[in-house]
Amino acid sequence: MGKVVFERNAPAASVISNSLDGSIQKSFWIDDVPDATTFAALRGNITADLAIVGGGYLGLWTAVLAKQRNPEAKVVLLEARELGWAASGRNGGFCEASITHGESNGMSRWPKEYAQLHRLGLQNLDEIEASVASLGLDCDFERTGSLDLAIEPHEIEWLTETETNEDTVFLDETAVRAEVNSPTYLAAIWNKRINALVHPSKLVHELARVATELGVEIFEKSPVREIETSGAPTDAAIVHSRTGTVRATRVALATNAFPSLLKRTRLHTVPVYDYVLMTEPLSPAQLASIGWSNRQGLADMANQFHYYRLSSDNRILFGGYDAVYHYGRKVREGYEDRPESFERLASHFFTTFPQLEGLKFSHRWAGAIDTSTQFSAFFATARDGRVAYAAGFTGLGVGATRFAAQVLLDKLDGLTTERTELEMVRKMPLPFPPEPIASLGIQATRWSLNQADHNQGRRNVILKTLDALGLGFDS
């Protein structure tokens, strides 16, 4: 077995420690919007046509689209803490077209309808771009495309299997380093249409602004404890929060990585912690040393992969690699401070860009990803159609949550649409097993993925068995 590039070319320990010295434990995106509008907690008992539980992208897109469909509907959104404080304010800001967690995952799971899924994903991203313009969303939206990077020799062969066209271009070592100058790059595919960059927290608060302008009532610090649906199927559901209730005709659940309010789906996701660093702004000389004039989103092709991008003020966000699961499906703030993960990311950053040695990180943070066994979202209704839900976005929810919001509204309205007829939408993935089997299986899978990265991508019997069963673990 060989050693991956990050182990062969690791920087000195002093470079790593100096770069992290002074960084703060907080999402840069959230820290960058200090004057965001806040909302009061729910007090008392109210009624609504639609109650939405969760104030991230899925909940906010559902609120906006519901009012655009029916301006007269009374829509209420409840958030347990603050809007966008979880995954929607902690992600990398990659707004991807894929609603299937990439082509290979989509082709392997839904081969007969993948062309349709690909088209719908591109359409969804185009519609997001149109909404940014028509709604005046100030969220640093840039349709930059992305580079899939080969950093080990065997990954070049994977890239050469990609069908190329005017929107999907193969770059050899010279060409990719002309785009972004890293000694680790051996080749790349430049996907010119399928990715945009956004400022995650700005997008949250701009969607909230539009929602309130459309008449949505938003309540923060209003955790939902229970959804009561006794009585006939035509009776309203009662959403019980800590300090009040919402009696709603329909309910949309957008809680993602957090424990489901429905027992039937509590085993369908696991929260996986992802770790991120953000640098200080690069000087003109530092930026010139790496190029990156086309500002693409970047990701390498390893199982334990990195994703990285430029911010509007030319900071570099660098995240990924470690995907950490904690026994019992727990989501806790204490899991966010993991020095070994931040040190590993810093080491890999300076292996990628040794010319930036001396650059410091301003922020470090982590967040929980709602991972499903099919690596992409699942959808269904419950309680005689009064409740709809989606979850399991597995790290690609910035764009896919808007598509999911349309699915939820279609289902709650009882509509048969192109979206609701998709096999991906009609069928639920297999759940993860209960503990302790879940933890043992996930740790074995993580070990196997690391072994594959050290063995020219070759998958061992554990990974081959999971592939055959259509199961997996990813971030």
Side-chain angles (χ1 to χ4, degrees), residues 96-104 106-107 110-126 143 162-163 165 167-168 191-195 403 418 422 424:
E96 299 217 13
S98 179
I99 55 177
T100 63
H101 207 276
E103 179 179 3
S104 60
M107 283 289 292
W110 305 286
K112 293 180 180 179
E113 64 182 26
Y114 181 72
Q116 184 182 14
L117 291 165
H118 179 72
R119 173 179 56 79
L120 288 170
L122 281 172
Q123 176 183 315
N124 181 62
L125 182 54
D126 290 342
R143 191 79 177 259
T162 303
E163 183 178 343
N165 52 51
D167 295 323
T168 307
N191 303 291
K192 295 190 174 183
R193 284 196 63 203
I194 65 172
N195 182 65
F403 175 83
E418 181 182 14
L422 293 166
M424 174 188 172

Side-chain angles (χ1 to χ4, degrees), residues 64 86 162 176 204 211 227 281 287 292 319 340 345 350 353 355 366 375 397:
V64 169
T162 303
V176 68
V204 165
I227 300 173
L287 189 58
W292 213 346
E340 60 266 42
L345 280 175
F350 290 110
F353 296 125
Q355 65 269 50
F375 302 158

